[in-house]
């Protein structure tokens, strides 16, 4: 048999013209499809992240507005509490003044009751004196009758 050798230049040309384009087509198709799928997945993921960020931004604004309202209500309640504390102190002072006045009234009432008791005793003594005087007058009248 004879050595049918193919020249290197023919092999290189065959490789360049047949094999390389075939490999590029096969690899390109495989990589291109993967690339497309990867790009689509990345776009989908990017869109999902943007949607979540938009929703989070909206929620952040809503929370921020709610916090402003809560702070305003808290300040109003603190003002009301300050007013109530002031009113409470005023009421406590008024109760103390009323308590002092009540003590003075009770003391005066006790004095009046004691004086009335003394008055009643004096009245009783005067009544008794009047009765004694009446009895003495009757005794004198009886003695005059007996003597007379």
């Amino acid at each position: 048999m004879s050595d049918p050798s193919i020249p290197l230049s023919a092999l290189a040309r065959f490789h360049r013209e047949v094999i390389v384009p075939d490999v590029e087509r096969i690899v390109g198709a495989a990589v291109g499809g993967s690339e497309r799928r990867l790009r689509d997945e990345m776009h989908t993921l990017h869109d999902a992240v943007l949607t979540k960020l938009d929703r989070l931004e909206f929620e952040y604004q809503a929370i921020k507005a709610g916090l402003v309202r809560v702070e305003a209500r808290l300040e109003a309640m603190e003002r009301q509490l300050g007013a109530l504390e002031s009113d409470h102190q005023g009421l406590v002072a008024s109760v103390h003044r009323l308590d002092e006045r009540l003590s003075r009234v009770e003391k005066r009432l006790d004095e009046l009751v004691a004086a009335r008791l003394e008055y009643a005793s004096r009245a009783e003594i005067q009544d008794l004196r009047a009765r004694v005087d009446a009895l003495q007058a009757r005794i004198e009248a009886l003695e005059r009758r007996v003597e007379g």
Side-chain angles (χ1 to χ4, degrees):
M1 289 194 135
S2 68
D3 182 20
S5 56
I6 302 175
L8 189 60
S9 62
L11 274 176
R13 196 176 98 208
F14 175 76
H15 179 64
R16 197 176 42 243
E17 291 174 5
V18 175
I19 303 234
V20 168
D22 233 8
V23 168
E24 284 177 347
R25 182 184 52 77
I26 292 169
V27 169
V31 170
S34 299
E35 236 175 52
R36 250 181 273 111
R37 282 192 309 274
L38 180 61
R39 184 174 43 247
D40 290 345
E41 286 178 22
M42 286 175 60
H43 284 293
T44 302
L45 187 60
H46 182 262
D47 290 345
V49 167
L50 286 178
T51 302
K52 285 184 180 182
L53 281 175
D54 285 343
R55 192 172 56 237
L56 287 173
E57 179 69 24
F58 177 76
E59 288 178 15
Y60 168 75
Q61 294 300 331
I63 289 170
K64 193 173 166 183
L67 185 58
V68 167
R69 287 191 307 271
V70 167
E71 287 173 339
R73 287 181 65 194
L74 182 60
E75 287 175 8
M77 289 174 70
E78 286 174 344
R79 284 192 301 271
Q80 288 176 346
L81 181 61
L84 287 175
E85 286 175 344
S86 176
D87 290 347
H88 172 72
Q89 290 173 352
L91 289 172
V92 167
S94 295
V95 166
H96 286 300
R97 285 191 304 272
L98 287 173
D99 191 36
E100 289 172 8
R101 287 179 66 192
L102 179 61
S103 294
R104 288 194 306 264
V105 167
E106 287 174 339
K107 182 179 176 186
R108 180 67 179 134
L109 182 62
D110 289 342
E111 290 171 358
L112 289 174
V113 166
R116 185 166 187 212
L117 289 177
E118 284 179 22
Y119 179 73
S121 298
R122 286 181 190 164
E124 288 174 357
I125 291 171
Q126 288 174 352
D127 183 47
L128 288 174
R129 280 187 186 162
R131 288 174 69 188
V132 167
D133 288 341
L135 285 174
Q136 280 181 350
R138 286 176 72 190
I139 291 173
E140 286 176 7
L142 286 174
E143 284 177 351
R144 272 186 258 148
R145 261 188 187 179
V146 173
E147 289 177 4

